Amino acid sequence: MSADLGPVGHAVGGRRRWNPSLLVGGFIVALIAVVALVSFVWTPYDATLVDPAGRLASPSWTHWLGTDKFGRDILSQLMVGSRTTLFVGLVAVGVAAVIGVPLGIFAAMTRRWSSELVMRANDLLLAFPALLLAIMFGAVFGASTTTAMVAIGIATIPSFVRVIRSGGMQVMRTEYVLAARAAGRRPFPIAIRHVLPNVVSLITVQASVSFAIAVLAEAALSFLGYGTPPPTPSWGRMLQESQEFLFSAPRLAVFPGLAIAVAVLGFNLLGDGLRDHFDPKLEDRR
Amino acid sequence: MPELYRLPRPTDRPPAVDPVIKVTDVTRDYPRPRTSLLKRAEVVHALRGVSLEVQPGERFGIVGESGCGKSTLLRIIAALDRPTSGRVVVDGTDITRLPERRLRFLRENLQLVFQDPMSSLDPRMRVRDIIAEPLVVQGHPASGARVRELLDAVGLSADAGDRYPHQFSGGQRQRISIARALAPNPKILVADEPVSALDVSVRAQVLNLISDLVDELDLTLVFVSHDLSVVKHVCDRVAVMHAGEIVETGTTGEVYAAPRHPYTRRLVAAIPTIPKALAGATPEDLLTPPKGAPR
């Protein structure tokens, strides 16, 4: 047997370079998560406490971000609202991933009409505007956070199916799948052991981007009155309630608007960062 | 290697042995995607009536240029693809129309080594799981001892099992690939251009490894390459493929010394050698067909 070539391998260990968008995105998302957690145990005021005497107060030491037309503390509302935001994002992305990923892998692994069927049904759903679907759901099942989450989740399925299918097809073309078939692996174990682990990075990226879209959609739905009903604080509804004071007290719109923008930015940056992080081309350059 | 283990060579083999692989008149057509609503989709004829026989213990080479149908033929022999028509008999069983659940004997007895060491190992699996995969699938006890034994057989250290494929060089990955192929104790090893993607410096090592293991384990080898000199180094008998057909079959010596088909003559003439290089031959000279051979 011929001797082997010295020490095996190079660049041992999995240390990857952290890119800035991953860092910043991760920081923003972590911040929102911390704020949401803190809001369970402490907020400056009760977020739903109405104080007619102190309504429309400007930012001050007592109310850092001021109060709204009912005298509710804006900061407290934003903090509690971040819970809704995260919860909606998690459930919506969860629904989309749990349904979309298996469908995508199925479409990648089967050839003929079954794959076509999945993809055409997917196109049908993709052609349907997400907000319209959510409004329809709201009209049928009543406006609530749950309806909004599920509707946003369903509307997000097609993007998962498409991304996972294309990734899955790439995996199915590799020689290690051929080798697994030659060893006698059946399609289902191949899906679990080979395809799924190799599209995990795609799932992560897609999830964080979808999260951003879901946050925005929830805000839009609440703004339209089809999302979280009062009095539960929600960034979208805060924005909607600020409309009548847009000129007299623009800060009422600025703070929740800023919160939404920063959250969406955070998840998008995280998604971009994760994509770069998992990119095999960059991985090889490590 | 004791002479005892030497396999019967084609010259001294009794003629009445049943072939271990018998391919009869196999064709494979691939439909192209439709480009027009009115015209029918075009069809690519990847294989046009291929027949060959591989005897037990033989080292059978298939040469031909890229896209001539070599890999398609291998996939059909390994029942990873189905022929459009024709018959493939492996070890006495017609596998052409068998459903996957009745191919177990084939999955145990025929294993593959692939061309691209980058894509033939799952990047998310540890080497020991990669090597043990055929064992697990086929219900053999996948012990650590067996994996270490296989790693040792291909010249890798036992701790290689804990690492991931990207931590290895191309030649080392090809060794892992070979270890995986040998795991279920196959009788037939099918190698699809196993050294084409490797540096010239490690080619000989991997070729010798395959050659030694085939001898040691009494395997039948089907070896595909576009490189005649590689096939010459490893194989007893060779089939030359061109545009989906086998144009010439013979012992390696015969085909090299006296190629009959014009395409083979061109291939043999195009092998770069040191005397040719010393005589000042350029790549253009190698491409020029010898006298009497059509382009």
Side-chain angles (χ1 to χ4, degrees), chain A residues 83-97 99 130-131 133-135 137-138 141-157 210-211 213-215 217-219 221-222 226-229:
Chain A
R83 284 187 221 162
T84 319
T85 301
L86 284 184
F87 189 52
V88 168
L90 276 180
V91 174
V93 169
V95 166
I99 300 173
L131 281 181
L133 191 75
I135 291 171
F137 265 57
F141 301 108
S144 74
T145 316
T146 318
T147 333
M149 290 186 304
V150 173
I152 295 167
I154 291 176
T156 317
I157 293 174
S210 302
F211 210 108
I213 298 170
V215 166
E218 193 274 335
L221 281 177
S222 299
Y226 284 98
T228 314

Side-chain angles (χ1 to χ4, degrees), chain B residues 30-44:
Chain B
Y30 291 107
R32 280 232 179 102
R34 290 184 84 121
T35 49
S36 155
L37 274 178
L38 304 174
K39 281 185 235 153
R40 289 178 66 91
E42 277 183 65
V43 171
V44 178

Side-chain angles (χ1 to χ4, degrees), chain B residues 12-295:
Chain B
D12 53 13
R13 172 171 28 85
V17 185
D18 279 339
V20 67
I21 299 174
K22 189 171 183 339
V23 175
T24 318
D25 210 18
V26 161
T27 64
R28 179 68 170 97
D29 300 338
Y30 291 107
R32 280 232 179 102
R34 290 184 84 121
T35 49
S36 155
L37 274 178
L38 304 174
K39 281 185 235 153
R40 289 178 66 91
E42 277 183 65
V43 171
V44 178
H45 302 283
L47 297 177
R48 322 162 178 245
V50 170
S51 300
L52 57 84
E53 287 185 6
V54 180
Q55 307 300 329
E58 192 174 36
R59 299 152 157 230
F60 191 84
I62 301 174
V63 283
E65 61 198 24
S66 305
C68 73
K70 295 171 304 208
S71 296
T72 306
L73 180 59
L74 282 197
R75 282 176 195 206
I76 287 173
I77 291 174
L80 296 171
D81 194 0
R82 306 266 159 169
T84 309
S85 69
R87 247 160 66 92
V88 179
V89 178
V90 177
D91 219 3
T93 312
D94 185 348
I95 61 163
T96 326
R97 300 278 172 257
L98 278 191
E100 180 67 39
R101 70 192 142 75
R102 297 198 32 211
L103 285 170
R104 194 183 153 97
F105 80 98
L106 186 76
R107 302 298 179 220
E108 284 172 357
N109 286 320
L110 186 148
Q111 283 293 311
L112 297 132
V113 175
F114 292 99
Q115 171 175 12
D116 182 2
M118 301 296 158
S119 114
S120 60
L121 307 174
D122 188 335
R124 306 248 170 234
M125 279 168 85
R126 284 181 195 279
V127 167
R128 70 170 118 76
D129 297 325
I130 291 175
I131 294 177
E133 184 169 33
L135 298 172
V136 175
V137 175
Q138 294 167 15
H140 300 291
S143 67
R146 175 72 179 140
V147 171
R148 279 194 295 278
E149 186 185 311
L150 286 161
L151 280 171
D152 183 55
V154 297
L156 290 173
S157 60
D159 65 329
D162 296 329
R163 300 182 203 179
Y164 286 93
H166 74 261
Q167 295 171 311
F168 295 88
S169 68
Q172 290 167 331
R173 291 188 204 200
Q174 214 54 325
R175 286 165 190 265
I176 296 167
S177 223
I178 294 168
R180 169 179 60 191
L182 297 178
N185 271 326
K187 285 194 218 157
I188 308 166
L189 185 65
V190 174
D192 186 0
E193 306 241 15
V195 295
S196 322
L198 301 181
D199 281 349
V200 178
S201 56
V202 292
R203 268 187 202 181
Q205 291 179 11
V206 172
L207 280 179
N208 288 337
L209 175 68
I210 293 177
S211 200
D212 289 347
L213 288 169
V214 165
D215 275 349
E216 217 169 297
L217 303 170
D218 243 2
L219 303 177
T220 305
L221 176 69
V222 178
F223 189 98
V224 163
S225 181
H226 64 262
D227 188 340
L228 278 168
S229 33
V230 167
V231 168
K232 191 177 170 186
H233 183 77
V234 179
C235 299
D236 312 319
R237 228 149 57 84
V238 60
V240 181
M241 275 189 88
H242 181 52
E245 287 171 307
I246 290 186
V247 295
E248 183 163 359
T249 316
T251 62
T252 319
E254 281 168 16
V255 170
Y256 280 83
R260 290 191 306 271
H261 192 274
Y263 177 72
T264 320
R265 265 180 242 158
R266 272 174 53 203
L267 274 185
V268 172
I271 301 174
T273 60
I274 290 176
K276 279 186 206 163
L278 289 177
T282 60
E284 285 74 34
D285 296 334
L286 293 178
L287 284 172
T288 316
K291 244 188 220 155
R295 277 223 73 137

Side-chain angles (χ1 to χ4, degrees), chain A residues 213-244:
Chain A
I213 298 170
V215 166
L216 206 56
E218 193 274 335
L221 281 177
S222 299
F223 183 86
L224 295 172
Y226 284 98
T228 314
T232 316
S234 143
W235 294 351
R237 231 198 36 261
M238 289 170 75
L239 206 56
Q240 184 228 339
E241 287 168 358
S242 74
Q243 273 185 108
E244 43 190 311

